[in-house]
């Protein structure tokens, strides 16, 4: 294959699953190298198949200076095959020096010794390889600083001698960075501790099946053209893992002809993208204890999302990953902000940086909006309107024809009365300053029995009518004057000729801002106790706060319920988040905890579970 052919393929966005399979198997280069998912498959094929690296893929070494990841993959494969490649001695790890040189195979001890003699800058990569392979003698010869990534790698791979050598040192250093694939030789961080920030070798064996991309070209392709600003859902064909030290995103391909749930290697917990159960996570005990300086071995995702869920600033800042989000982390942040004013204030003080981080971690516009809306809501409930007035005040009406006015970037929050009511004066001023939030304010007034403010809103605008959700809130309210709100709403509706008895979003109309006024998630109330909405089509009971008596074997901490059947949980502006199973689990006696099999459901009813032989209360 000549240079022109490679360049032609680099412009070709064609994707087929068969081409991906052949690339992963190290059989041939795909036609559509313009697709990143196929380039990842090529890198995976190079790393796993030396014959592919020396034959079909060899042409990628010199012809693609703008895509150095191919050259790094080829050099890594050469090292693992006990060949020392020619690399620039002054290169950083964004050039041709590979970061990971120990997966899927390790080279011989002599190969790594010769490698570090020729390229001293790779001493810490060689140390990681020693930790994987157990080359204790070579590690001693390196005479390097005790590095925390090497320590975590040694612990995970059973290289006890190397681990103990590092942990015995009075000060440890952070020189490697598995999130950015960089090695900082000249300005190491000290003291450093084991913080679960290492992509240890067993993690590299956990693969994710690719899928067909959802657009004709990748959105970062120079020739990509969006049909309109709202181009809809985009999936590049692969899932971004927490780490990418091998530069192939841990991609795999599904077995031909079989959907995921029928394959032998199907794992339901991973399909649901939920954290592992506490009893399969070695860090679970840290949910109820202060964090030690050095974290134990294990996946810290559960610790991250629970720190976000409770709005624990110190734990969250220490534990979170700078370049990726744990599953459902964004939704746990929303919940933490709603329930912790200090967490909300911290996010508000760093809003620009946190939004940038969220996007860099692969966050969507929806996640960004949800977090910003949560901050605004928490500030409102704390009687602080300083954030809202500059952003959400309606634009002036005397705009010259043809000119556009930049309005707010995000919709204001709707849930502004849970878990805390603001003062009546706050709601009155909010309705005056931000007319588009009057529906939310009206419902807050009914919830809090703020009759004076409710009347002010109606009197200020004879064209304003509280919607069906506020009517529902009035009808189930236990307040003495609940009937007053229902009568006032129905009277205004009759005056304006509006129907506020709509049963679902299908029958909805538009509110003053032109948006669809009826969202299913707004039907339930957050009042303690239960009530039925049989006439609205939702016949199950709604309880706030939730009462948990069921423990699942696949723990869905922080599960997102938005736009799904569990609308009664989407209290945080169409975001649902609960940690009930975790909160129940951490307090259970050891003998109460079920151990019979990996997938089950237990209901704590004191009849069927816990068993009768357990200690009595």
């Amino acid at each position: 294959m000549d240079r022109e052919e490679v360049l032609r393929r680099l412009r070709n966005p064609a994707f087929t699953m068969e081409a991906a399979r052949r690339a992963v198997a190290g059989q041939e280069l795909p036609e559509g190298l313009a697709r990143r998912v196929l380039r990842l498959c090529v890198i995976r094929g190079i790393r796993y198949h030396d014959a592919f690296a020396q034959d079909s893929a060899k042409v990628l070494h010199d012809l693609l200076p703008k895509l150095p990841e191919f050259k790094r993959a080829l050099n890594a494969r050469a090292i693992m095959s006990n060949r020392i490649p020619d690399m620039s001695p002054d290169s950083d790890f964004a050039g041709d020096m590979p970061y990971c040189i120990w997966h899927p195979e390790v080279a011989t001890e002599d190969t790594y010794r010769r490698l570090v003699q020729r390229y001293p800058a790779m001493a810490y990569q060689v140390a990681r390889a020693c930790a994987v392979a157990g080359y204790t003698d070579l590690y001693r010869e390196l005479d390097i600083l005790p590095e925390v990534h090497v320590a975590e790698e040694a612990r995970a791979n059973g290289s006890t001698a190397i681990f103990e050598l590092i942990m015995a040192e009075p000060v440890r250093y952070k020189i490697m960075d598995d999130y950015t694939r960089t090695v900082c030789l000249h300005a190491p961080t000290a003291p450093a501790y084991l913080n679960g920030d290492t992509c240890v070798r067993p993690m590299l064996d956990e693969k994710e099946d690719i899928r067909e991309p959802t657009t004709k070209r990748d959105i970062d392709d120079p020739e990509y053209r969006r049909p309109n600003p709202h181009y809809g859902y985009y999936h590049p064909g692969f899932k971004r893992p927490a780490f990418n030290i091998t530069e192939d995103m841990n991609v795999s391909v599904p077995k031909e002809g079989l959907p995921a749930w029928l394959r032998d290697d199907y794992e339901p917990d991973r399909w649901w993208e939920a954290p592992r159960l506490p009893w399969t996570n070695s860090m679970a005990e840290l949910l109820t204890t202060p964090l030690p300086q050095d974290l134990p071995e294990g996946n810290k995702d559960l610790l991250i999302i629970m720190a976000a869920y409770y709005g624990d600033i110190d734990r969250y800042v220490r534990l979170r990953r700078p370049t990726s989000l744990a599953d459902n982390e964004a939704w746990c942040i929303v919940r933490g902000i709603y329930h912790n004013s200090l967490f909300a204030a911290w996010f508000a003080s760093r809003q620009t940086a946190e939004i940038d981080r969220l996007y860099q971690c692969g966050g969507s516009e929806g996640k960004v909006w949800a977090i910003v809306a949560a901050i605004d809501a928490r500030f409102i409930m704390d009687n602080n309107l300083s954030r809202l007035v500059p952003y959400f005040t309606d634009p002036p009406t005397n705009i010259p024809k043809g000119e556009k006015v930049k309005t707010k970037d995000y919709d204001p929050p709707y849930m502004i009365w849970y878990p805390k009511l603001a003062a009546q004066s706050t709601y009155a001023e909010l309705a005056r300053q931000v007319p588009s939030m009057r529906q939310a304010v009206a419902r807050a007034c009914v919830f809090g029995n703020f009759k004076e403010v409710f009347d002010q809103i109606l009197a200020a605008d004879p064209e304003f009518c509280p919607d069906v959700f506020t009517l529902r809130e009035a009808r189930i309210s236990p307040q003495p004057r609940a009937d007053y709100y229902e009568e006032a709403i129905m009277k205004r509706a009759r005056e304006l000729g509006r129907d506020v008895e709509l049963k679902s979003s299908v029958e909805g109309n538009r509110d003053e801002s032109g948006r669809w006024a009826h969202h299913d998630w707004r039907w339930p109330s957050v009042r303690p106790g239960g009530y039925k909405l049989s006439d609205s089509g939702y016949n199950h009971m709604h309880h706030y706060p939730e009462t948990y008596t069921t423990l699942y074997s696949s723990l869905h901490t922080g599960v997102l319920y938005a736009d799904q059947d569990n609308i009664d949980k989407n209290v945080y502006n169409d975001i649902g988040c609960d940690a009930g199973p975790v909160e129940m689990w951490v307090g259970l006696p050891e003998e109460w905890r079920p151990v019979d099999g990996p997938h089950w459901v237990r209901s704590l009813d004191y009849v069927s579970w816990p068993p009768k032989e357990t200690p009595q209360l």
Side-chain angles (χ1 to χ4, degrees):
M1 187 181 302
D2 58 18
R3 179 184 179 86
E4 292 302 320
E5 174 62 16
V6 173
L7 294 178
R8 184 190 68 80
R9 295 192 181 196
L10 279 174
R11 296 189 296 268
N12 187 351
F15 173 87
T16 65
M17 192 61 71
E18 179 60 27
R21 290 192 182 96
R22 295 183 67 81
V24 167
Q27 296 173 346
E28 66 178 7
L29 292 176
E31 283 282 336
L33 286 178
R35 287 287 189 186
R36 189 181 181 195
V37 63
L38 289 180
R39 296 199 299 271
L40 294 174
C41 291
V42 171
I43 293 174
R44 159 78 190 271
I46 290 172
R47 280 188 163 269
Y48 277 74
H49 304 282
D50 190 38
F52 183 50
Q54 295 193 72
D55 186 16
S56 302
K58 186 177 181 180
V59 68
L60 303 174
H61 189 279
D62 297 320
L63 293 181
L64 304 176
K66 293 184 179 180
L67 296 172
E69 58 267 30
F70 285 127
K71 184 179 289 188
R72 290 192 292 268
L74 290 164
N75 289 340
R77 180 63 263 176
I79 293 168
M80 291 184 291
S81 297
N82 300 305
R83 300 189 302 274
I84 308 298
D86 291 327
M87 299 181 290
S88 171
D90 300 323
S91 171
D92 59 20
F93 297 99
D96 57 0
M97 281 190 176
Y99 186 83
C100 173
I101 55 173
W102 53 87
H103 185 271
E105 302 171 29
V106 292
T108 64
E109 188 172 5
D110 181 64
T111 298
Y112 289 130
R113 182 178 287 109
R114 290 186 292 114
L115 179 67
V116 76
Q117 289 172 352
R118 184 170 175 183
Y119 302 107
M122 297 191 72
Y124 287 92
Q125 277 95 323
V126 171
R128 284 279 290 274
C130 291
V132 171
Y135 296 153
T136 306
D137 291 340
L138 176 56
Y139 175 80
R140 293 177 185 273
E141 294 173 18
L142 294 175
D143 191 26
I144 58 175
L145 294 173
E147 212 278 338
V148 290
H149 289 78
V150 179
E152 290 191 301
E153 192 75 75
R155 179 177 62 184
N157 290 278
S159 297
T160 307
I162 295 176
F163 177 72
E164 292 177 348
L165 283 172
I166 297 173
M167 299 304 292
E169 296 290 338
V171 178
R172 296 183 293 277
Y173 297 80
K174 177 185 175 183
I175 298 171
M176 306 186 77
D177 190 331
D178 282 9
Y179 296 112
T180 60
R181 298 189 304 275
T182 55
V183 179
C184 184
L185 298 172
H186 305 296
T189 300
Y193 304 99
L194 279 62
N195 196 47
D197 292 323
T198 302
C199 182
V200 294
R201 192 181 187 280
M203 295 172 63
L204 297 174
D205 292 326
E206 295 184 7
K207 305 298 184 182
E208 288 283 349
D209 283 350
I210 64 171
R211 52 176 284 186
E212 185 172 351
T214 55
T215 57
K216 294 182 178 180
R217 283 186 176 271
D218 294 348
I219 59 174
D220 56 354
D221 191 315
E223 298 187 32
Y224 175 77
R225 296 291 183 272
R226 289 194 301 188
N228 57 66
H230 305 286
Y231 56 91
Y233 176 68
Y234 165 71
H235 196 291
F238 60 90
K239 180 182 176 182
R240 183 194 300 265
F243 301 97
N244 187 30
I245 65 172
T246 55
E247 300 189 76
D248 63 0
M249 295 288 185
N250 288 11
V251 298
S252 183
V253 289
K255 292 181 180 179
E256 187 173 5
L258 287 178
W261 55 90
L262 293 180
R263 298 201 311 272
D264 295 336
D265 58 350
Y266 169 60
E267 298 180 38
D269 283 345
R270 289 186 60 199
W271 182 73
W272 284 100
E273 300 180 1
R276 296 292 183 177
L277 286 164
W279 51 91
T280 64
N281 189 322
S282 61
M283 292 189 182
E285 64 183 38
L286 298 183
L287 289 170
T288 56
T289 63
L291 293 178
Q293 286 186 331
D294 295 304
L295 293 184
E297 183 179 359
N299 188 331
K300 65 178 182 178
D301 280 7
L302 186 62
L303 299 182
I304 293 173
I305 61 177
M306 291 305 290
Y309 184 87
Y310 290 113
D312 190 320
I313 300 172
D314 288 340
R315 286 176 74 106
Y316 180 68
V317 172
R318 173 182 168 179
L319 293 168
R320 66 178 182 163
R321 296 189 172 97
T323 59
S324 65
L325 295 172
D327 290 331
N328 307 306
E329 179 180 340
W331 314 134
C332 288
I333 291 172
V334 169
R335 194 269 180 192
I337 289 172
Y338 255 93
H339 287 262
N340 190 330
S341 297
L342 307 183
F343 199 49
W346 179 78
F347 258 94
S349 69
R350 318 177 19 92
Q351 180 168 309
T352 300
E354 291 305 312
I355 286 176
D356 289 344
R357 170 183 171 264
L358 199 66
Y359 280 128
Q360 291 171 4
C361 293
S364 65
E365 183 75 16
K367 292 178 180 179
V368 171
W369 175 87
I371 290 174
V372 173
I375 298 171
D376 294 336
R378 185 67 238 191
F379 274 52
I380 292 172
M381 292 184 287
D382 290 332
N383 300 300
N384 182 349
L385 301 182
S386 61
R387 282 176 56 88
L388 292 181
V389 174
Y391 297 108
F392 297 136
T393 300
D394 289 350
T397 57
N398 56 342
I399 306 299
K401 187 176 181 180
E403 290 190 16
K404 294 182 178 180
V405 174
K406 183 179 180 181
T407 57
K408 53 188 176 291
D409 293 327
Y410 304 102
D411 290 333
Y414 179 79
M415 174 55 74
I416 55 174
W417 59 92
Y418 175 82
K420 174 185 176 182
L421 273 166
Q424 295 192 52
S425 58
T426 299
Y427 289 126
E429 181 66 9
L430 180 60
R432 187 184 71 84
Q433 291 277 7
V434 191
S436 61
M437 292 189 69
R438 288 179 301 180
Q439 290 289 0
V441 173
R443 185 165 178 180
C445 291
V446 173
F447 184 85
N449 197 15
F450 297 155
K451 177 180 178 296
E452 182 179 350
V453 180
F454 183 83
D455 290 342
Q456 289 176 8
I457 297 174
L458 292 182
D461 183 0
E463 295 296 320
F464 173 75
C465 181
D467 59 21
V468 62
F469 307 116
T470 305
L471 177 63
R472 297 288 185 186
E473 193 71 57
R475 286 177 171 172
I476 59 94
S477 173
Q479 302 287 358
R481 292 180 294 186
D483 291 345
Y484 171 82
Y485 300 109
E486 179 180 356
E487 292 171 3
I489 295 171
M490 296 303 296
K491 178 181 177 182
R492 177 58 59 88
R494 288 192 296 271
E495 291 173 354
L496 298 176
R498 296 185 184 178
D499 181 6
V500 290
E501 293 283 2
L502 301 176
K503 303 299 188 296
S504 70
S505 59
V506 175
E507 303 174 59
N509 54 12
R510 295 184 184 272
D511 62 16
E512 302 91 352
S513 64
R515 303 180 188 85
W516 284 106
H518 299 282
H519 305 278
D520 285 346
W521 67 272
R522 296 181 182 180
W523 283 105
S525 173
V526 294
R527 295 182 184 278
Y531 66 94
K532 286 189 177 183
L533 295 177
S534 58
D535 57 340
S536 70
Y538 302 110
N539 297 314
H540 53 289
M541 300 296 288
H542 304 278
H543 297 273
Y544 281 100
E546 289 283 1
T547 300
Y548 298 96
T549 59
T550 303
L551 191 67
Y552 299 91
S553 65
S554 52
L555 178 66
H556 298 274
T557 303
V559 168
L560 167 65
Y561 289 102
D563 299 325
Q564 296 185 14
D565 292 337
N566 297 291
I567 62 166
D568 55 319
K569 297 182 183 294
N570 298 355
V571 60
Y572 308 107
N573 298 310
D574 207 9
I575 300 300
C577 185
D578 74 75
V582 178
E583 293 171 328
M584 185 170 68
W585 174 262
V586 295
L588 290 179
E590 189 67 32
E591 59 271 17
W592 287 27
R593 295 180 177 179
V595 293
D596 52 338
H599 305 296
W600 44 259
V601 176
R602 287 289 183 272
S603 178
L604 186 61
D605 55 8
Y606 297 97
V607 176
S608 59
W609 179 61
K612 297 300 183 182
E613 59 270 17
T614 59
Q616 299 300 307
L617 296 177

